[in-house]
Amino acid sequence: MPVNINYFRKISRWLPVLLMVLIFQNACKKENISGPVVTGLRAISPAPNDSTLTQVTPGQIVVIKGYNFNGLQGVLFDGYSASVNTALNTNATIVITVPSGILFSSLSSDVANTIKVITTHGEIVYKFSVVPPPPVISSISDEFAHGGDTITLSGSYLYTIQSVQFPGDHTVTNVLNADTAGASFQVVVPDGITPGDADSAAVITEGGTGKAPFNNTYGMIADFEWGSPTFGWQYWGGIMGSDASKFPGGWGNYIEIDPSSEIGANDGAWYANNRAVMIASSAWEGVNIADPPANYALKFQMFVKNPWTAGSLEIAINGNFNNLATYAPWKQTSNGMFMTNGWVTVTIPLSSFVDGSGKPASNVSALTGGNPGATVQIMLYNNGTTPVVNFDAAFDNVRVVKTN
């Protein structure tokens, strides 16, 4: 069959035009793909718990609902980028974890409470409530502070604070020195607070409410007050005092460890020279001795008057020197010195009472000798080579409390 050369020449003239038309049509198709649309969020849990959400918190796994999610490039919550796993996503759903590092205290108004979805063919900003988790209070610098005292509350998610409620319905809205990461803040204690056995301070934020014991006498084993059912002192070891000019801001009687001379190297004679707080045996309120020690803590108030630069407090329960807890806060300071500006709360987890290999007891019963409570000894040792000089500290309100 003869080949028509003129026919192919005519076609070849039009090939560039046809090619341009095809490219133009394909570009139009791409341009006509609409941007992503978000219609809502739901929980990741299967039915019947896969309910529509009205707010989310950092660390929460959620499903973003909508369409045109193909070509997903990124998702931002309050301006913070979330990790995208394309294998979990479809054109209509995005399974994603809300970023945990959102600093709510420093969000600008244009990104707060927004979810931004970015794809290859567009993006959308969806208004949605992103709130911090409920605040967690891990410690209060002075759990028995008086009205007018400034205390520090430490923990996590301590931002967007709306108020702090103290026992007796005393509310404070002015907080001081709030950490931008939500790790701590300060507040002035209001007047009119009295101790009780169920009292706590509550921090209210946009994320919820967190509580911690404050002026709470539950679990008290020694308050050193004459006539008190929790007097607790064994009448030796340290010095009973009540001089408010020496240790101001206290609650009456205290026990003072104030050796009359320096403590030389490797001196463990805790029983001499006013070097111990000796607490009598009593039933520990609310303690199940079958529980692991990690569920409880020994707490006490302490006022360290002079710089503490050597030695340690060794603490024994039930006279058991095979399971001691050691407290030497000067070792954790940058300058090797520890001193308090007034009374502070010290927390010693019962899991810190360890044997020679560093292993805690299997349960509280192993610490108390099987009894519902036991004696407690707080003793000043010097296991180092540097003398302990001018140590002077007071102790009060010793208690055993549940922490977990």
Side-chain angles (χ1 to χ4, degrees), residues 15 92 191 239 264 285 310 319 336 388:
L15 280 177
D191 293 327
I239 307 166
E285 190 175 26
V388 178

Side-chain angles (χ1 to χ4, degrees), residues 150-235:
T150 299
I151 59 174
T152 301
L153 287 79
S154 302
S156 52
Y157 311 119
L158 298 174
Y159 30 41
T160 66
I161 298 169
Q162 297 171 338
S163 65
V164 182
Q165 294 182 352
F166 288 90
D169 294 326
H170 298 278
T171 301
V172 176
T173 57
N174 183 36
V175 299
L176 310 170
N177 302 317
D179 175 60
T180 56
S184 65
F185 71 91
Q186 292 181 315
V187 65
V188 178
V189 178
D191 293 327
I193 297 174
T194 57
D197 64 1
D199 289 336
S200 61
V203 176
I204 295 90
T205 72
E206 290 180 7
T209 301
K211 294 184 177 182
F214 184 79
N215 268 25
N216 194 320
T217 58
Y218 191 81
M220 188 74 69
I221 61 174
D223 59 18
F224 310 124
E225 299 302 320
W226 300 109
S228 168
T230 53
F231 172 71
W233 190 40
Q234 291 193 46
Y235 298 98

Side-chain angles (χ1 to χ4, degrees), residues 82-369:
S83 178
V84 173
N85 184 349
T86 56
L88 300 176
N89 305 326
T90 70
N91 190 47
T93 59
I94 302 172
V95 179
I96 202 156
T97 302
V98 183
S100 59
I102 300 174
L103 296 180
F104 289 89
S105 58
S106 58
L107 292 177
S108 60
S109 59
D110 59 326
V111 298
N113 295 314
T114 64
I115 300 173
K116 187 175 186 178
V117 176
I118 306 170
T119 69
T120 54
H121 47 275
E123 60 186 45
I124 184 174
V125 175
Y126 184 68
K127 295 294 290 183
F128 195 82
S129 292
V130 183
V131 300
V136 177
I137 307 171
S138 58
S139 66
I140 297 178
S141 59
D142 182 0
E143 292 184 9
F144 283 84
H146 299 286
D149 292 344
T150 299
I151 59 174
T152 301
L153 287 79
S154 302
S156 52
Y157 311 119
L158 298 174
Y159 30 41
T160 66
I161 298 169
Q162 297 171 338
S163 65
V164 182
Q165 294 182 352
F166 288 90
D169 294 326
H170 298 278
T171 301
V172 176
T173 57
N174 183 36
V175 299
L176 310 170
N177 302 317
D179 175 60
T180 56
S184 65
F185 71 91
Q186 292 181 315
V187 65
V188 178
V189 178
D191 293 327
I193 297 174
T194 57
D197 64 1
D199 289 336
S200 61
V203 176
I204 295 90
T205 72
E206 290 180 7
T209 301
K211 294 184 177 182
F214 184 79
N215 268 25
N216 194 320
T217 58
Y218 191 81
M220 188 74 69
I221 61 174
D223 59 18
F224 310 124
E225 299 302 320
W226 300 109
S228 168
T230 53
F231 172 71
W233 190 40
Q234 291 193 46
Y235 298 98
W236 73 282
I239 307 166
M240 170 157 305
S242 59
D243 186 351
S245 65
K246 188 172 186 180
F247 295 101
W251 309 269
N253 293 338
Y254 52 77
I255 302 301
E256 183 181 6
I257 292 181
D258 182 19
S260 59
S261 58
E262 72 174 38
I263 302 171
N266 300 308
D267 184 343
W270 59 269
Y271 42 81
N273 201 12
N274 306 316
R275 287 169 53 180
V277 179
M278 304 296 294
I279 299 166
S281 178
S282 63
W284 290 354
E285 190 175 26
V287 176
N288 181 352
I289 62 173
D291 285 346
N295 288 8
Y296 302 93
L298 175 74
K299 290 188 175 185
F300 51 85
Q301 303 303 110
M302 181 179 71
F303 191 140
V304 180
K305 193 174 183 64
N306 298 328
W308 180 7
T309 59
S312 62
L313 293 176
E314 301 293 328
I315 308 171
I317 294 174
N318 198 43
N320 181 2
F321 283 64
N322 293 319
N323 287 81
L324 291 173
T326 300
Y327 182 65
W330 59 270
K331 293 182 178 181
Q332 280 73 54
T333 64
S334 59
N335 60 359
M337 184 271 288
F338 179 81
M339 186 170 62
T340 66
N341 183 23
W343 291 90
V344 297
T345 297
V346 177
T347 301
I348 309 292
L350 294 195
S351 56
S352 298
F353 291 81
V354 297
D355 60 20
S357 63
K359 183 179 179 181
S362 57
N363 52 35
V364 177
S365 178
L367 294 175
T368 65

Side-chain angles (χ1 to χ4, degrees), residues 37-42 52-53 63-66 69 92 94 115 126 128:
V37 175
V38 176
T39 58
L41 280 78
R42 66 172 175 83
T52 298
L53 299 173
V63 179
I64 301 175
K65 301 184 296 181
F69 292 153
I94 302 172
I115 300 173
Y126 184 68
F128 195 82

